Amino acid sequence: MADLEGNSAAKQFHPDVPAASFTHAIRGASNLDWGMQNRLARILDPQTGRTVMLAFDHGYFQGPTSGLERIDLNIAPLAAQADALMCTRGALRTSIPPATQAGLVLRASGGPSILKDLSDEYTAMAMQDAVRVNADAVAVQVFVGGVHESRSIRNLTTLVDEGYAAGIPVLGVTAVGKELVRDARYLGLATRIIAELGAQLVKTYYCDEGFEDVVAGCPVPVIMAGGKKLPELDALTMASRAVRAGAAGVDMGRNIFQSANPAAMMTAVRAVVHDDLDPAEAFELFRSASETTVSA
Ligand code: 5RP
């Protein structure tokens, strides 16, 4: 019970000042509940509306990946440079310090390993566990055009419904089968389906032609997937083109942790995403940060 003594009567109501209304920088989020918007704001930097998400959930289907042999050694030191981390609950609980301040996107689908058909996934985590570890979103693979397309959509919608109940957003990830073409037509189809079925965030690959239409046609933020390891300048160029075409940032794994200097690459990617630095300048940043790290 507040101490009543010295309690002064309220009198400053500023009747000439309209009530606060929060224009929303996050596409498609203005009608979401406060908790959902708060969690999205822990993933997408409110200043830029973009994210540098560090993906290291690869183990959920391919076991130990080059550069992820020891997540506690390879990844934990990079967490401070990431706006958000994308990982499995197993990697989180065993290898990431609970004091980590980055946003958290938990891998919530799984099933086949790389030895089988990757589209044969199910949901792989209860939403209650995402709540338990303070996740800011859960991630689910969606195999539009894949053998188990409908089941992957069902995985998505199950998590979306559970996410609404818990106030946790869902990141739908377009999984492009080997037989499918990563062009604007396919990516536009897949990202729109994911958004229409309720995901609050979409992750998809970049395409040289028409990516701006893929982004514009998707009513929620599109985050560019890093994909296979490229030379650093190529990865920075791809990230720059993607954000300049409207992507709400990047979710990179191999292009960070398989880089010659992951910390320097995080610095360079952040400069491209949040400061709109040209790729060539960001690459120079990468090189000088690499030299600094080596000499340290
Ligand atoms: C597959 C995934 C992976 O789990 C991972 O996130 C991919 O990261 P990257 O391609 O940047 O190494 O989402 O679609």
Side-chain angles (χ1 to χ4, degrees):
M1 185 70 171
D3 179 354
L4 290 178
E5 191 178 334
N7 198 10
S8 57
K11 48 181 176 291
Q12 293 292 348
F13 293 95
H14 305 289
D16 55 323
V17 178
S21 68
F22 307 106
T23 51
H24 219 280
I26 298 180
R27 184 193 293 237
S30 55
N31 294 325
L32 297 178
D33 192 8
W34 196 93
M36 277 269 198
Q37 294 193 43
N38 178 256
R39 290 187 176 93
L40 288 169
R42 285 175 41 80
I43 296 168
L44 300 170
D45 181 327
Q47 301 306 315
T48 62
R50 295 172 177 173
T51 189
V52 173
M53 191 183 297
L54 178 56
F56 52 101
D57 60 327
H58 305 61
Y60 91 95
F61 70 98
Q62 60 185 37
T65 308
S66 168
L68 291 184
E69 292 84 352
R70 286 284 302 277
I71 288 175
D72 56 336
L73 303 179
N74 306 129
I75 296 295
L78 301 174
Q81 291 179 271
D83 296 308
L85 305 175
M86 179 177 175
C87 63
T88 61
R89 58 180 167 176
L92 183 76
R93 286 189 164 107
T94 58
S95 311
I96 301 296
T100 300
Q101 295 300 302
L104 175 61
V105 180
L106 273 190
R107 166 62 60 180
S109 65
S113 71
I114 45 174
L115 305 177
K116 306 283 270 188
D117 169 11
L118 289 179
S119 75
D120 187 15
E121 284 201 348
Y122 294 84
T123 56
M125 186 184 72
M127 191 59 70
Q128 188 53 38
D129 201 33
V131 171
R132 195 174 290 125
V133 294
N134 261 351
D136 296 294
V138 295
V140 54
Q141 222 67 1
V142 180
F143 296 81
V144 172
V147 172
H148 300 285
E149 171 181 69
S150 294
R151 179 155 16 96
S152 74
I153 289 288
R154 185 59 183 270
N155 296 340
L156 168 71
T157 55
T158 299
L159 289 167
V160 166
D161 287 328
E162 292 171 359
Y164 276 127
I168 294 187
V170 174
L171 168 69
V173 183
T174 63
V176 187
K178 292 183 180 56
E179 66 293 346
L180 295 165
V181 179
R182 285 184 191 178
D183 59 12
R185 182 175 173 278
Y186 174 80
L187 298 176
L189 169 73
T191 52
R192 182 63 174 262
I193 288 174
I194 291 171
E196 295 262 6
L197 289 168
Q200 290 81 19
L201 295 168
V202 174
K203 164 178 164 179
T204 195
Y205 295 100
Y206 177 73
C207 59
D208 281 320
E209 301 290 324
F211 188 71
E212 62 281 358
D213 292 339
V214 172
V215 172
C218 184
V220 299
V222 172
I223 297 167
M224 185 207 84
K228 67 181 189 318
K229 176 71 177 72
L230 299 170
E232 278 77 4
L233 179 55
D234 293 351
L236 292 167
T237 300
M238 179 173 69
S240 176
R241 287 176 180 165
V243 294
R244 288 178 175 176
V250 300
D251 180 16
M252 284 183 159
R254 289 163 289 176
N255 277 292
I256 301 289
F257 59 71
Q258 291 177 354
S259 165
N261 190 310
M265 189 60 176
M266 284 294 286
T267 300
V269 171
R270 291 194 65 83
V272 163
V273 170
H274 290 307
D275 305 322
D276 199 27
L277 212 62
D278 283 336
E281 289 178 82
F283 183 62
E284 281 314 306
L285 206 52
F286 166 75
R287 281 164 31 125
S288 58
S290 298
E291 284 154 21
T292 312
T293 314
V294 166
S295 58

mmCIF file with all atom_site columns, all heavy atoms in Angstrom, residues 55 57-58 60-61 86 107 141 173 203 205 226-227 251-254, ligand 1:
data_model
loop_
_atom_site.group_PDB
_atom_site.id
_atom_site.type_symbol
_atom_site.label_atom_id
_atom_site.label_alt_id
_atom_site.label_comp_id
_atom_site.label_asym_id
_atom_site.label_entity_id
_atom_site.label_seq_id
_atom_site.pdbx_PDB_ins_code
_atom_site.Cartn_x
_atom_site.Cartn_y
_atom_site.Cartn_z
_atom_site.occupancy
_atom_site.B_iso_or_equiv
_atom_site.pdbx_formal_charge
_atom_site.auth_seq_id
_atom_site.auth_comp_id
_atom_site.auth_asym_id
_atom_site.auth_atom_id
_atom_site.pdbx_PDB_model_num
ATOM   1   N N   . ALA A 1 55  ? 22.641 -16.434 -36.928 1.00 0.00 ? 55  ALA A N   1
ATOM   2   C CA  . ALA A 1 55  ? 21.993 -17.751 -37.000 1.00 0.00 ? 55  ALA A CA  1
ATOM   3   C C   . ALA A 1 55  ? 23.006 -18.847 -36.694 1.00 0.00 ? 55  ALA A C   1
ATOM   4   O O   . ALA A 1 55  ? 24.063 -18.925 -37.327 1.00 0.00 ? 55  ALA A O   1
ATOM   5   C CB  . ALA A 1 55  ? 21.401 -17.969 -38.388 1.00 0.00 ? 55  ALA A CB  1
ATOM   6   N N   . ASP A 1 57  ? 21.538 -22.180 -35.676 1.00 0.00 ? 57  ASP A N   1
ATOM   7   C CA  . ASP A 1 57  ? 20.617 -23.289 -35.382 1.00 0.00 ? 57  ASP A CA  1
ATOM   8   C C   . ASP A 1 57  ? 20.866 -24.474 -36.312 1.00 0.00 ? 57  ASP A C   1
ATOM   9   O O   . ASP A 1 57  ? 20.101 -25.421 -36.330 1.00 0.00 ? 57  ASP A O   1
ATOM   10  C CB  . ASP A 1 57  ? 19.175 -22.814 -35.538 1.00 0.00 ? 57  ASP A CB  1
ATOM   11  C CG  . ASP A 1 57  ? 18.883 -22.326 -36.956 1.00 0.00 ? 57  ASP A CG  1
ATOM   12  O OD1 . ASP A 1 57  ? 19.800 -21.765 -37.594 1.00 0.00 ? 57  ASP A OD1 1
ATOM   13  O OD2 . ASP A 1 57  ? 17.755 -22.527 -37.447 1.00 0.00 ? 57  ASP A OD2 1
ATOM   14  N N   . HIS A 1 58  ? 21.968 -24.429 -37.079 1.00 0.00 ? 58  HIS A N   1
ATOM   15  C CA  . HIS A 1 58  ? 22.241 -25.441 -38.098 1.00 0.00 ? 58  HIS A CA  1
ATOM   16  C C   . HIS A 1 58  ? 22.258 -26.863 -37.556 1.00 0.00 ? 58  HIS A C   1
ATOM   17  O O   . HIS A 1 58  ? 21.937 -27.818 -38.251 1.00 0.00 ? 58  HIS A O   1
ATOM   18  C CB  . HIS A 1 58  ? 23.581 -25.141 -38.758 1.00 0.00 ? 58  HIS A CB  1
ATOM   19  C CG  . HIS A 1 58  ? 23.679 -23.765 -39.319 1.00 0.00 ? 58  HIS A CG  1
ATOM   20  N ND1 . HIS A 1 58  ? 23.557 -22.623 -38.543 1.00 0.00 ? 58  HIS A ND1 1
ATOM   21  C CD2 . HIS A 1 58  ? 23.895 -23.319 -40.579 1.00 0.00 ? 58  HIS A CD2 1
ATOM   22  C CE1 . HIS A 1 58  ? 23.698 -21.565 -39.311 1.00 0.00 ? 58  HIS A CE1 1
ATOM   23  N NE2 . HIS A 1 58  ? 23.888 -21.927 -40.534 1.00 0.00 ? 58  HIS A NE2 1
ATOM   24  N N   . TYR A 1 60  ? 20.358 -28.392 -35.768 1.00 0.00 ? 60  TYR A N   1
ATOM   25  C CA  . TYR A 1 60  ? 19.083 -29.107 -35.566 1.00 0.00 ? 60  TYR A CA  1
ATOM   26  C C   . TYR A 1 60  ? 18.808 -30.090 -36.675 1.00 0.00 ? 60  TYR A C   1
ATOM   27  O O   . TYR A 1 60  ? 17.991 -30.999 -36.535 1.00 0.00 ? 60  TYR A O   1
ATOM   28  C CB  . TYR A 1 60  ? 17.920 -28.116 -35.397 1.00 0.00 ? 60  TYR A CB  1
ATOM   29  C CG  . TYR A 1 60  ? 17.184 -27.702 -36.643 1.00 0.00 ? 60  TYR A CG  1
ATOM   30  C CD1 . TYR A 1 60  ? 16.013 -28.354 -37.044 1.00 0.00 ? 60  TYR A CD1 1
ATOM   31  C CD2 . TYR A 1 60  ? 17.636 -26.649 -37.420 1.00 0.00 ? 60  TYR A CD2 1
ATOM   32  C CE1 . TYR A 1 60  ? 15.321 -27.980 -38.182 1.00 0.00 ? 60  TYR A CE1 1
ATOM   33  C CE2 . TYR A 1 60  ? 16.950 -26.248 -38.558 1.00 0.00 ? 60  TYR A CE2 1
ATOM   34  C CZ  . TYR A 1 60  ? 15.791 -26.911 -38.933 1.00 0.00 ? 60  TYR A CZ  1
ATOM   35  O OH  . TYR A 1 60  ? 15.109 -26.518 -40.064 1.00 0.00 ? 60  TYR A OH  1
ATOM   36  N N   . PHE A 1 61  ? 19.537 -29.948 -37.816 1.00 0.00 ? 61  PHE A N   1
ATOM   37  C CA  . PHE A 1 61  ? 19.347 -30.943 -38.892 1.00 0.00 ? 61  PHE A CA  1
ATOM   38  C C   . PHE A 1 61  ? 20.667 -31.429 -39.469 1.00 0.00 ? 61  PHE A C   1
ATOM   39  O O   . PHE A 1 61  ? 20.709 -32.451 -40.139 1.00 0.00 ? 61  PHE A O   1
ATOM   40  C CB  . PHE A 1 61  ? 18.465 -30.372 -40.022 1.00 0.00 ? 61  PHE A CB  1
ATOM   41  C CG  . PHE A 1 61  ? 19.122 -29.283 -40.838 1.00 0.00 ? 61  PHE A CG  1
ATOM   42  C CD1 . PHE A 1 61  ? 19.723 -29.554 -42.045 1.00 0.00 ? 61  PHE A CD1 1
ATOM   43  C CD2 . PHE A 1 61  ? 19.141 -27.967 -40.353 1.00 0.00 ? 61  PHE A CD2 1
ATOM   44  C CE1 . PHE A 1 61  ? 20.339 -28.547 -42.784 1.00 0.00 ? 61  PHE A CE1 1
ATOM   45  C CE2 . PHE A 1 61  ? 19.744 -26.947 -41.086 1.00 0.00 ? 61  PHE A CE2 1
ATOM   46  C CZ  . PHE A 1 61  ? 20.350 -27.236 -42.310 1.00 0.00 ? 61  PHE A CZ  1
ATOM   47  N N   . MET A 1 86  ? 19.624 -16.549 -33.397 1.00 0.00 ? 86  MET A N   1
ATOM   48  C CA  . MET A 1 86  ? 18.689 -17.585 -33.859 1.00 0.00 ? 86  MET A CA  1
ATOM   49  C C   . MET A 1 86  ? 19.334 -18.933 -33.581 1.00 0.00 ? 86  MET A C   1
ATOM   50  O O   . MET A 1 86  ? 20.360 -19.297 -34.164 1.00 0.00 ? 86  MET A O   1
ATOM   51  C CB  . MET A 1 86  ? 18.399 -17.456 -35.360 1.00 0.00 ? 86  MET A CB  1
ATOM   52  C CG  . MET A 1 86  ? 17.440 -18.528 -35.884 1.00 0.00 ? 86  MET A CG  1
ATOM   53  S SD  . MET A 1 86  ? 17.102 -18.220 -37.625 1.00 0.00 ? 86  MET A SD  1
ATOM   54  C CE  . MET A 1 86  ? 16.120 -19.654 -38.056 1.00 0.00 ? 86  MET A CE  1
ATOM   55  N N   . ARG A 1 107 ? 14.588 -21.810 -32.732 1.00 0.00 ? 107 ARG A N   1
ATOM   56  C CA  . ARG A 1 107 ? 14.196 -22.794 -33.752 1.00 0.00 ? 107 ARG A CA  1
ATOM   57  C C   . ARG A 1 107 ? 13.150 -23.724 -33.148 1.00 0.00 ? 107 ARG A C   1
ATOM   58  O O   . ARG A 1 107 ? 13.430 -24.425 -32.167 1.00 0.00 ? 107 ARG A O   1
ATOM   59  C CB  . ARG A 1 107 ? 15.437 -23.573 -34.194 1.00 0.00 ? 107 ARG A CB  1
ATOM   60  C CG  . ARG A 1 107 ? 15.160 -24.846 -34.987 1.00 0.00 ? 107 ARG A CG  1
ATOM   61  C CD  . ARG A 1 107 ? 14.449 -24.660 -36.279 1.00 0.00 ? 107 ARG A CD  1
ATOM   62  N NE  . ARG A 1 107 ? 15.169 -23.797 -37.228 1.00 0.00 ? 107 ARG A NE  1
ATOM   63  C CZ  . ARG A 1 107 ? 14.707 -23.505 -38.428 1.00 0.00 ? 107 ARG A CZ  1
ATOM   64  N NH1 . ARG A 1 107 ? 13.529 -23.939 -38.799 1.00 0.00 ? 107 ARG A NH1 1
ATOM   65  N NH2 . ARG A 1 107 ? 15.392 -22.726 -39.264 1.00 0.00 ? 107 ARG A NH2 1
ATOM   66  N N   . GLN A 1 141 ? 10.517 -23.649 -40.342 1.00 0.00 ? 141 GLN A N   1
ATOM   67  C CA  . GLN A 1 141 ? 10.824 -23.810 -41.763 1.00 0.00 ? 141 GLN A CA  1
ATOM   68  C C   . GLN A 1 141 ? 9.524  -24.041 -42.532 1.00 0.00 ? 141 GLN A C   1
ATOM   69  O O   . GLN A 1 141 ? 8.652  -24.794 -42.081 1.00 0.00 ? 141 GLN A O   1
ATOM   70  C CB  . GLN A 1 141 ? 11.738 -25.030 -41.927 1.00 0.00 ? 141 GLN A CB  1
ATOM   71  C CG  . GLN A 1 141 ? 12.855 -24.840 -42.896 1.00 0.00 ? 141 GLN A CG  1
ATOM   72  C CD  . GLN A 1 141 ? 13.884 -23.818 -42.449 1.00 0.00 ? 141 GLN A CD  1
ATOM   73  O OE1 . GLN A 1 141 ? 13.807 -23.218 -41.370 1.00 0.00 ? 141 GLN A OE1 1
ATOM   74  N NE2 . GLN A 1 141 ? 14.868 -23.588 -43.278 1.00 0.00 ? 141 GLN A NE2 1
ATOM   75  N N   . VAL A 1 173 ? 10.484 -19.245 -42.134 1.00 0.00 ? 173 VAL A N   1
ATOM   76  C CA  . VAL A 1 173 ? 11.702 -19.314 -42.948 1.00 0.00 ? 173 VAL A CA  1
ATOM   77  C C   . VAL A 1 173 ? 11.411 -20.054 -44.245 1.00 0.00 ? 173 VAL A C   1
ATOM   78  O O   . VAL A 1 173 ? 10.970 -21.211 -44.217 1.00 0.00 ? 173 VAL A O   1
ATOM   79  C CB  . VAL A 1 173 ? 12.830 -20.047 -42.190 1.00 0.00 ? 173 VAL A CB  1
ATOM   80  C CG1 . VAL A 1 173 ? 14.122 -20.044 -43.011 1.00 0.00 ? 173 VAL A CG1 1
ATOM   81  C CG2 . VAL A 1 173 ? 13.064 -19.411 -40.821 1.00 0.00 ? 173 VAL A CG2 1
ATOM   82  N N   . LYS A 1 203 ? 11.824 -14.839 -43.135 1.00 0.00 ? 203 LYS A N   1
ATOM   83  C CA  . LYS A 1 203 ? 13.240 -14.882 -43.537 1.00 0.00 ? 203 LYS A CA  1
ATOM   84  C C   . LYS A 1 203 ? 13.292 -15.571 -44.897 1.00 0.00 ? 203 LYS A C   1
ATOM   85  O O   . LYS A 1 203 ? 12.726 -16.677 -45.054 1.00 0.00 ? 203 LYS A O   1
ATOM   86  C CB  . LYS A 1 203 ? 14.042 -15.663 -42.507 1.00 0.00 ? 203 LYS A CB  1
ATOM   87  C CG  . LYS A 1 203 ? 15.432 -16.119 -42.977 1.00 0.00 ? 203 LYS A CG  1
ATOM   88  C CD  . LYS A 1 203 ? 16.164 -16.844 -41.861 1.00 0.00 ? 203 LYS A CD  1
ATOM   89  C CE  . LYS A 1 203 ? 17.350 -17.626 -42.378 1.00 0.00 ? 203 LYS A CE  1
ATOM   90  N NZ  . LYS A 1 203 ? 18.089 -18.320 -41.316 1.00 0.00 ? 203 LYS A NZ  1
ATOM   91  N N   . TYR A 1 205 ? 15.711 -15.851 -48.910 1.00 0.00 ? 205 TYR A N   1
ATOM   92  C CA  . TYR A 1 205 ? 16.954 -15.580 -49.618 1.00 0.00 ? 205 TYR A CA  1
ATOM   93  C C   . TYR A 1 205 ? 16.823 -14.339 -50.498 1.00 0.00 ? 205 TYR A C   1
ATOM   94  O O   . TYR A 1 205 ? 15.706 -13.924 -50.842 1.00 0.00 ? 205 TYR A O   1
ATOM   95  C CB  . TYR A 1 205 ? 17.331 -16.800 -50.471 1.00 0.00 ? 205 TYR A CB  1
ATOM   96  C CG  . TYR A 1 205 ? 17.653 -18.006 -49.611 1.00 0.00 ? 205 TYR A CG  1
ATOM   97  C CD1 . TYR A 1 205 ? 16.701 -19.012 -49.408 1.00 0.00 ? 205 TYR A CD1 1
ATOM   98  C CD2 . TYR A 1 205 ? 18.870 -18.107 -48.961 1.00 0.00 ? 205 TYR A CD2 1
ATOM   99  C CE1 . TYR A 1 205 ? 16.977 -20.101 -48.587 1.00 0.00 ? 205 TYR A CE1 1
ATOM   100 C CE2 . TYR A 1 205 ? 19.160 -19.191 -48.133 1.00 0.00 ? 205 TYR A CE2 1
ATOM   101 C CZ  . TYR A 1 205 ? 18.205 -20.176 -47.955 1.00 0.00 ? 205 TYR A CZ  1
ATOM   102 O OH  . TYR A 1 205 ? 18.481 -21.244 -47.131 1.00 0.00 ? 205 TYR A OH  1
ATOM   103 N N   . GLY A 1 226 ? 21.246 -15.516 -44.973 1.00 0.00 ? 226 GLY A N   1
ATOM   104 C CA  . GLY A 1 226 ? 22.635 -15.442 -45.418 1.00 0.00 ? 226 GLY A CA  1
ATOM   105 C C   . GLY A 1 226 ? 22.977 -16.463 -46.488 1.00 0.00 ? 226 GLY A C   1
ATOM   106 O O   . GLY A 1 226 ? 23.583 -16.146 -47.514 1.00 0.00 ? 226 GLY A O   1
ATOM   107 N N   . GLY A 1 227 ? 22.592 -17.729 -46.233 1.00 0.00 ? 227 GLY A N   1
ATOM   108 C CA  . GLY A 1 227 ? 22.927 -18.767 -47.202 1.00 0.00 ? 227 GLY A CA  1
ATOM   109 C C   . GLY A 1 227 ? 24.384 -19.195 -47.108 1.00 0.00 ? 227 GLY A C   1
ATOM   110 O O   . GLY A 1 227 ? 25.097 -18.857 -46.160 1.00 0.00 ? 227 GLY A O   1
ATOM   111 N N   . ASP A 1 251 ? 19.765 -12.256 -41.527 1.00 0.00 ? 251 ASP A N   1
ATOM   112 C CA  . ASP A 1 251 ? 19.950 -13.340 -40.560 1.00 0.00 ? 251 ASP A CA  1
ATOM   113 C C   . ASP A 1 251 ? 21.060 -14.201 -41.138 1.00 0.00 ? 251 ASP A C   1
ATOM   114 O O   . ASP A 1 251 ? 20.822 -14.969 -42.074 1.00 0.00 ? 251 ASP A O   1
ATOM   115 C CB  . ASP A 1 251 ? 18.673 -14.147 -40.401 1.00 0.00 ? 251 ASP A CB  1
ATOM   116 C CG  . ASP A 1 251 ? 18.853 -15.288 -39.390 1.00 0.00 ? 251 ASP A CG  1
ATOM   117 O OD1 . ASP A 1 251 ? 19.831 -15.260 -38.623 1.00 0.00 ? 251 ASP A OD1 1
ATOM   118 O OD2 . ASP A 1 251 ? 18.021 -16.228 -39.401 1.00 0.00 ? 251 ASP A OD2 1
ATOM   119 N N   . MET A 1 252 ? 22.270 -14.046 -40.656 1.00 0.00 ? 252 MET A N   1
ATOM   120 C CA  . MET A 1 252 ? 23.431 -14.719 -41.252 1.00 0.00 ? 252 MET A CA  1
ATOM   121 C C   . MET A 1 252 ? 24.054 -15.704 -40.263 1.00 0.00 ? 252 MET A C   1
ATOM   122 O O   . MET A 1 252 ? 24.198 -15.406 -39.083 1.00 0.00 ? 252 MET A O   1
ATOM   123 C CB  . MET A 1 252 ? 24.493 -13.689 -41.644 1.00 0.00 ? 252 MET A CB  1
ATOM   124 C CG  . MET A 1 252 ? 24.184 -12.915 -42.907 1.00 0.00 ? 252 MET A CG  1
ATOM   125 S SD  . MET A 1 252 ? 25.582 -11.818 -43.271 1.00 0.00 ? 252 MET A SD  1
ATOM   126 C CE  . MET A 1 252 ? 25.295 -11.520 -45.031 1.00 0.00 ? 252 MET A CE  1
ATOM   127 N N   . GLY A 1 253 ? 24.452 -16.827 -40.811 1.00 0.00 ? 253 GLY A N   1
ATOM   128 C CA  . GLY A 1 253 ? 25.146 -17.830 -40.005 1.00 0.00 ? 253 GLY A CA  1
ATOM   129 C C   . GLY A 1 253 ? 26.518 -18.094 -40.587 1.00 0.00 ? 253 GLY A C   1
ATOM   130 O O   . GLY A 1 253 ? 27.509 -17.499 -40.183 1.00 0.00 ? 253 GLY A O   1
ATOM   131 N N   . ARG A 1 254 ? 26.581 -18.923 -41.634 1.00 0.00 ? 254 ARG A N   1
ATOM   132 C CA  . ARG A 1 254 ? 27.865 -19.315 -42.222 1.00 0.00 ? 254 ARG A CA  1
ATOM   133 C C   . ARG A 1 254 ? 28.703 -18.131 -42.682 1.00 0.00 ? 254 ARG A C   1
ATOM   134 O O   . ARG A 1 254 ? 29.935 -18.140 -42.559 1.00 0.00 ? 254 ARG A O   1
ATOM   135 C CB  . ARG A 1 254 ? 27.627 -20.301 -43.378 1.00 0.00 ? 254 ARG A CB  1
ATOM   136 C CG  . ARG A 1 254 ? 27.170 -21.692 -42.918 1.00 0.00 ? 254 ARG A CG  1
ATOM   137 C CD  . ARG A 1 254 ? 26.548 -22.485 -44.043 1.00 0.00 ? 254 ARG A CD  1
ATOM   138 N NE  . ARG A 1 254 ? 25.228 -21.943 -44.406 1.00 0.00 ? 254 ARG A NE  1
ATOM   139 C CZ  . ARG A 1 254 ? 24.513 -22.425 -45.419 1.00 0.00 ? 254 ARG A CZ  1
ATOM   140 N NH1 . ARG A 1 254 ? 24.989 -23.393 -46.194 1.00 0.00 ? 254 ARG A NH1 1
ATOM   141 N NH2 . ARG A 1 254 ? 23.317 -21.921 -45.683 1.00 0.00 ? 254 ARG A NH2 1
HETATM 142 C C1  . 5RP B 2 .   ? 18.030 -23.109 -42.996 1.00 0.00 ? 1   5RP B C1  1
HETATM 143 C C2  . 5RP B 2 .   ? 18.270 -22.260 -41.825 1.00 0.00 ? 1   5RP B C2  1
HETATM 144 C C3  . 5RP B 2 .   ? 19.452 -22.616 -41.012 1.00 0.00 ? 1   5RP B C3  1
HETATM 145 O O1  . 5RP B 2 .   ? 18.947 -23.222 -39.939 1.00 0.00 ? 1   5RP B O1  1
HETATM 146 C C4  . 5RP B 2 .   ? 20.344 -21.419 -40.711 1.00 0.00 ? 1   5RP B C4  1
HETATM 147 O O2  . 5RP B 2 .   ? 19.628 -20.444 -40.005 1.00 0.00 ? 1   5RP B O2  1
HETATM 148 C C5  . 5RP B 2 .   ? 20.877 -20.894 -41.997 1.00 0.00 ? 1   5RP B C5  1
HETATM 149 O O3  . 5RP B 2 .   ? 21.799 -19.866 -41.760 1.00 0.00 ? 1   5RP B O3  1
HETATM 150 P P1  . 5RP B 2 .   ? 22.857 -19.479 -42.920 1.00 0.00 ? 1   5RP B P1  1
HETATM 151 O O4  . 5RP B 2 .   ? 22.273 -19.938 -44.234 1.00 0.00 ? 1   5RP B O4  1
HETATM 152 O O5  . 5RP B 2 .   ? 23.032 -17.998 -42.866 1.00 0.00 ? 1   5RP B O5  1
HETATM 153 O O6  . 5RP B 2 .   ? 24.154 -20.219 -42.614 1.00 0.00 ? 1   5RP B O6  1
HETATM 154 O O7  . 5RP B 2 .   ? 17.514 -21.365 -41.537 1.00 0.00 ? 1   5RP B O7  1
HETATM 155 O O8  . 5RP B 2 .   ? 17.102 -22.495 -43.845 1.00 0.00 ? 1   5RP B O8  1
#
